[in-house]
C-alpha cells in the first residue's frame, strides 16, 4: 500500500562478517527507508554502493578513544536521522548506537553472531539489556541469553 509509512531503519555493524549478516536481511530492509553505519573499508564500500552510509571510527574492539568518537557520532546521526529501528549483528560499534538510540525511543534488534554457540560476545553482553529483541541463531545460545529468540541461521 502506498500510504503505509516506511520504517526508518539504521543498520549498524562493522565490516566483514557482521556486515554480511546485515546484508543477508535484505528481504526485510530493501523496501524501507534505511541508512548504514559501518567502517570505511573496501568490502563495505563495494557492498553498499548506492546506499546511504555513515562511516564510523575503527578499530572498535576494546578501543576507548574510538568508543567515545562513535558515541558522539551516534548522538549526531540518531538525532538527525531519527530511526524507528536500529538493527545490528555487532561488533562494538553497535553499543553506542543502541544506547543512544534507546534514549531517542528507537526500537533495537540485536542478532548474535553465528559462530558463537555456547558463549556470548562482548557486544552481545553489553547490549543485551538495552535490546528490544535479541536474536540468536542456535538453540544453545538461549542458555547464555535467556530472553533471546532463536530464528535459526541467517545464511
Amino acid at each position: 500500500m502506498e500510504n503505509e509509512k516506511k520504517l526508518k531503519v539504521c543498520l549498524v555493524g562493522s565490516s566483514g562478517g557482521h556486515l554480511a549478516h546485515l546484508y543477508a536481511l535484505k528481504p526485510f530492509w530493501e523496501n524501507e527507508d534505511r541508512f548504514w553505519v559501518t567502517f570505511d573499508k573496501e568490502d563495505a564500500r563495494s557492498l553498499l554502493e548506492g546506499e546511504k552510509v555513515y562511516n564510523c571510527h575503527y578499530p572498535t574492539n576494546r578501543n576507548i578513544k574510538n568508543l567515545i568518537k562513535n558515541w558522539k557520532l551516534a548522538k549526531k546521526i540518531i538525532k538527525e536521522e531519527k530511526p524507528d529501528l536500529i538493527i545490528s549483528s555487532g561488533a562494538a560499534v553497535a553499543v553506542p548506537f543502541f544506547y543512544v538510540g534507546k534514549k531517542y525511543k528507537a526500537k533495537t534488534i540485536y542478532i548474535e553472531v553465528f559462530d558463537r554457540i555456547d558463549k556470548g560476545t562482548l557486544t552481545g553482553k553489553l547490549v543485551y539489556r538495552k535490546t528490544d529483541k535479541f536474536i540468536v541463531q542456535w538453540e544453545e545460545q538461549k542458555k547464555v541469553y535467556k530472553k533471546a529468540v532463536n530464528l535459526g541461521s541467517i545464511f
Side-chain angles (χ1 to χ4, degrees):
M1 303 213 164
E2 288 186 38
N3 290 349
E4 283 187 32
K5 180 185 180 282
K6 289 186 176 193
L7 277 177
K8 180 84 170 251
V9 180
C10 170
L11 296 130
V12 58
S14 55
S15 58
H18 297 287
L19 184 60
H21 262 115
L22 293 174
Y23 201 83
L25 301 174
K26 187 174 183 177
F28 167 76
W29 55 255
E30 69 182 331
N31 294 316
E32 303 298 342
D33 182 9
R34 65 190 176 273
F35 64 95
W36 299 78
V37 179
T38 192
F39 301 163
D40 184 16
K41 290 192 166 185
E42 184 57 40
D43 67 323
R45 287 189 300 270
S46 174
L47 187 64
L48 300 177
E49 186 176 347
E51 294 284 323
K52 184 174 190 177
V53 178
Y54 292 94
N55 296 315
C56 61
H57 304 277
Y58 68 93
T60 54
N61 291 345
R62 295 168 181 82
N63 186 309
I64 299 298
K65 181 179 162 189
N66 285 339
L67 175 64
I68 293 167
K69 287 180 178 181
N70 284 330
W71 210 285
K72 290 177 183 177
L73 186 65
K75 285 181 181 179
K76 178 179 183 266
I77 292 170
I78 290 172
K79 186 176 180 181
E80 179 181 312
E81 292 284 352
K82 297 177 180 64
D84 300 305
L85 177 62
I86 301 170
I87 303 174
S88 184
S89 61
V93 69
V95 175
F97 280 84
F98 272 44
Y99 277 78
V100 172
K102 292 307 291 178
K103 185 176 177 183
Y104 284 87
K105 309 292 188 232
K107 296 292 185 187
T108 55
I109 298 175
Y110 186 79
I111 304 163
E112 186 61 291
V113 295
F114 184 76
D115 60 348
R116 289 290 182 98
I117 299 170
D118 58 357
K119 62 182 178 178
T121 60
L122 178 58
T123 302
K125 292 174 187 175
L126 290 172
V127 302
Y128 182 66
R129 294 193 198 288
K130 285 288 183 189
T131 302
D132 293 296
K133 186 72 70 181
F134 198 97
I135 297 172
V136 294
Q137 299 179 64
W138 295 96
E139 193 61 29
E140 293 85 349
Q141 290 175 319
K142 289 179 69 176
K143 292 176 185 164
V144 178
Y145 302 110
K146 304 292 185 215
K147 71 173 187 174
V149 175
N150 177 12
L151 294 182
S153 173
I154 290 175
F155 295 110

